[in-house]
Amino acid sequence: MELHRVSGRRGLGFSLAFLTMALWGALPIALQGVLRSVDPATITWVRFSVSAILLGAVLAARRQLPPLGRLGRPEWILLGLATVFLAANYLAYLIALDWTSPATAQVMIQLAPLLLALGGVVIFRERFTRIQWLGVGTLVFGLALFFAGQLAALVAEVDRYLAGNAVMVLAAATWAVYGLAQKQLLRSLASQGIMLCIYIGCTGLFAVLAEPRHLLALDATGWWLLGFCALNTIVAYGAFSEALQHWEASRVSAVLALTPLATLGLSSLVASHWPGFLSPPLLSWSALAGALLVVVGSLATALGAGVPARVSSSESAGLGAGRERG
């Protein structure tokens, strides 16, 4: 009976992790479709607004709104830091996506969790096992191989590709800073309360930059895609949080490491059925090998942490809140 229950929990954990991976894999494809009609700032404003409204309603109904009166000056500084850098991450990711492709964006943004992990080693004195360091080396080599392969293949658009990847590196770096600030905040607030504050703050920041009139240029497909992008944050992170309740964090992370491959597969599928919507990913053999090495490196980093452990619900959303990377 107990074995059956454990097996059921693991099966549910895998299903939820797979759902999260699929949603994050499809996100850059949908975002690129919306970018044809709407500017990055307006898209981001809509996404943060929807997230703030939905999460705020849920927490209010549960009477779990964050107790902001208890926060001191250091916590407010960290909250402001996390808000600004997550806003920068979302905007930079969209700009880079507009200059590259969903496949390239999803591979290159794998630099974000690597920078976060290295930040944890430097700031929080966390330790990596030998397997994890091997994974880090493999991931970095894979990113370099992927970048070089794409650079050689896209001769006609080298400047645009270089600019897009430079902005994507910026998106990864801003997400790492956000993640480190959020990790500190988890000592004072529950993760969902932190995210509500950040969503509200980001909504305010992007309200200054947004051009809501641009939304009028969307057709029916565009509205569906924008709706998917707006709801993706809440649904994906809800599934991610629940997955961590039923399965080890390292195994959930291992499934999520497959996200670049999901984006590559979905991009090819969409391009073959709707060629006018998306161009097929043009990957050289070296770029494809680099993408595979990035996934292998991510897997090694996730699974090489010794004894697998579950993460508390307060930590789970905090760790996952930026893995969408824009």
Side-chain angles (χ1 to χ4, degrees), residues 245-325:
Q245 296 299 311
H246 298 283
W247 213 19
E248 292 87 352
S250 61
R251 298 184 188 278
V252 173
S253 296
V255 174
L256 297 182
L258 302 176
T259 302
L261 297 184
T263 301
L264 284 170
L266 288 170
S267 295
S268 299
L269 183 65
V270 171
S272 64
H273 286 78
W274 299 279
F277 176 77
L278 184 71
S279 299
L282 300 175
L283 297 181
S284 64
W285 285 107
S286 58
L288 183 57
L292 292 174
L293 286 175
V294 167
V295 172
V296 171
S298 298
L299 286 169
T301 305
L303 296 176
V307 180
R310 284 191 176 86
V311 183
S312 69
S313 58
S314 67
E315 291 178 333
S316 65
L319 292 171
R323 293 223 27 168
E324 171 199 84
R325 294 91 151 184

Side-chain angles (χ1 to χ4, degrees), residues 35 66 70 73 87 111 118 120 169 188 190 200 206 222 229 276 290 323:
L35 279 168
R70 301 178 186 176
R73 180 181 175 85
L111 184 62
L118 294 177
V169 171
S188 306
I200 292 173
F206 281 102
C229 295
R323 293 223 27 168

Side-chain angles (χ1 to χ4, degrees), residues 105-226:
Q106 205 63 279
V107 172
M108 295 302 296
I109 201 62
Q110 296 303 310
L111 184 62
L114 172 62
L115 293 176
L116 176 64
L118 294 177
V121 171
V122 174
I123 297 174
F124 299 114
R125 300 291 188 264
E126 296 175 355
R127 294 185 177 182
F128 271 15
T129 64
R130 291 182 180 179
I131 294 177
Q132 286 180 296
W133 280 118
L134 180 62
V136 169
T138 303
L139 193 153
V140 172
F141 179 72
L143 285 173
L145 187 61
F146 178 86
F147 178 79
Q150 286 294 85
L151 193 61
L154 300 174
V155 178
E157 299 182 357
V158 169
D159 291 342
R160 187 178 180 87
Y161 179 75
L162 287 174
N165 277 278
V167 177
M168 191 60 75
V169 171
L170 175 63
T174 54
W175 182 82
V177 175
Y178 146 77
L180 292 170
Q182 166 117 349
K183 187 167 185 177
Q184 283 288 89
L185 282 169
L186 285 169
R187 299 177 179 179
S188 306
L189 290 172
S191 63
Q192 291 184 337
I194 296 171
M195 293 315 303
L196 177 59
C197 295
I198 291 175
Y199 288 156
I200 292 173
C202 288
T203 299
L205 288 175
F206 281 102
V208 179
L209 303 173
E211 296 283 352
R213 58 187 174 82
H214 290 172
L215 297 173
L216 299 176
L218 291 173
D219 56 13
T221 301
W223 278 109
W224 277 106
L225 290 173
L226 181 61

